[in-house]
Amino acid sequence: MTVASKKNKGKKSLLYIWENRWLYLFVIPAFLTVLIFNYFPMPGIIMAFQNFDPMKGFFHSTFVGLDNFRSIFESTDLPRVIKNTLGISALGFCLGFPLPIILAVFINEMSSIKLKKFIQTTSYLPHFISWIVVSGIMYEILDINTGAVNKLIGIFGGSSVDFLADPKLFWIVSVLIAIWKEIGWGSIIYLAAIVSIDQEQYEAAIVDGASRLKRILHITIPGIMPTVAVLLILQAGSLLSGAGLSPGFDGTYNLGNPGNADASEVLDIWIFREGIRRMNYSFASSVGLVLSVINMTFVFIANKIANKVNDSGIF
């Protein structure tokens, strides 16, 4: 490419940016948010290789190399925390990933506009309720003595169940609560993808005598597969931090209690406990760094699979 062609290309790019300046202006807040909260803290990674002392700061704390990483794998808490993280994330991913798609298809196929709006509104309203409030509500509903669920079980002759204090039930209960909270919000993107499908395909299918189920299987589902692939890749990046509709840090922390501690302590809570409560900043930073590397690896793997299956990767 000659110098002149490079200059012309640069002028065209600047002209394009100027013509769309108002759109770029709207992007600035999101850009600054990512810059401030995701990129500016990155130098803090150095704590993972130090015996960090807040009084000494980054430049004067003792460098310990990989000692903090060795401490991770020597910790007796690691197997339990890994098991809880993978168990909750796997349940959230397997149950939570397809359900918003099913809900979106269900809402799209409804003939009543009023009923469609009602279901869509009521399904995504819980998203706006904080996990603190949700956990308080759930503790009341699932209370072993006065909770509505246990009273209903008692009416049918069953025994009361302490849903939120039994470690064996915590994974499934917490994931179901997260699904109730987030399923409607997760379906919005899929609804937008369904609306963007060319309606002439449906009209042609109706003329050919295709049933509603066949239209869903052969038009709707293939039409939203690029969106599904992108969201699948993005969620793969949080597989160890709350993938799919799993409760994540907020949910597991607020629903956790001494009774279910063996099942509710996940990696993010472990990092919080070690880094904030015990002020072991270096150890928490090393765990967070390992977690980030693993999540990034999952993103690359998911993207490669998506590219091989239907060339719908994001890079």
Side-chain angles (χ1 to χ4, degrees), residues 244-290:
L245 297 186
S246 61
F249 171 80
D250 289 339
T252 50
Y253 183 77
N254 286 290
L255 292 171
N257 58 56
N260 61 36
D262 287 340
S264 63
E265 187 173 10
V266 294
L267 277 167
D268 286 337
I269 292 178
W270 193 40
I271 293 171
F272 171 77
R273 175 164 60 83
E274 294 293 332
I276 305 300
R277 290 185 178 176
R278 297 182 179 175
M279 295 186 290
N280 193 352
Y281 305 113
S282 296
F283 182 81
S285 297
S286 60
V287 177
L289 182 57
V290 171

Side-chain angles (χ1 to χ4, degrees), residues 94-243:
C94 295
L95 295 177
F97 189 79
L99 287 178
I101 301 173
I102 295 169
L103 178 62
V105 173
F106 173 74
I107 292 173
N108 182 68
E109 293 297 321
M110 296 183 70
S111 56
S112 172
I113 302 297
K114 289 184 178 179
L115 186 58
K116 182 186 294 188
K117 289 182 177 179
F118 173 77
I119 292 176
Q120 187 175 358
T121 303
T122 53
S123 64
Y124 73 65
L125 278 178
H127 169 80
F128 298 100
I129 305 174
S130 72
W131 266 109
I132 297 175
V133 177
V134 168
S135 63
I137 294 171
M138 291 303 162
Y139 269 106
E140 290 295 327
I141 293 175
L142 301 175
D143 186 87
I144 190 170
N145 297 314
T146 60
V149 174
N150 275 309
K151 285 188 177 295
L152 188 63
I153 292 173
I155 291 172
F156 290 97
S159 302
S160 296
V161 180
D162 201 348
F163 291 98
L164 290 175
D166 188 347
K168 295 178 182 178
L169 297 175
F170 181 80
W171 290 2
I172 186 65
V173 171
S174 62
V175 168
L176 290 176
I177 293 171
I179 289 172
W180 166 79
K181 186 177 184 297
E182 300 293 344
I183 187 172
W185 187 257
S187 68
I188 291 175
I189 297 176
Y190 297 113
L191 276 170
I194 291 172
V195 170
S196 66
I197 298 173
D198 187 1
Q199 295 302 306
E200 291 184 358
Q201 296 183 50
Y202 291 102
E203 294 170 2
I206 292 170
V207 171
D208 290 340
S211 64
R212 176 170 290 188
L213 180 60
K214 287 184 177 179
R215 295 198 298 270
I216 292 171
L217 293 176
H218 298 288
I219 299 176
T220 304
I221 299 301
I224 65 173
M225 281 309 295
T227 303
V228 172
V230 170
L231 292 177
L232 182 64
I233 293 167
L234 294 176
Q235 289 191 14
S238 59
L239 192 61
L240 298 181
S241 303

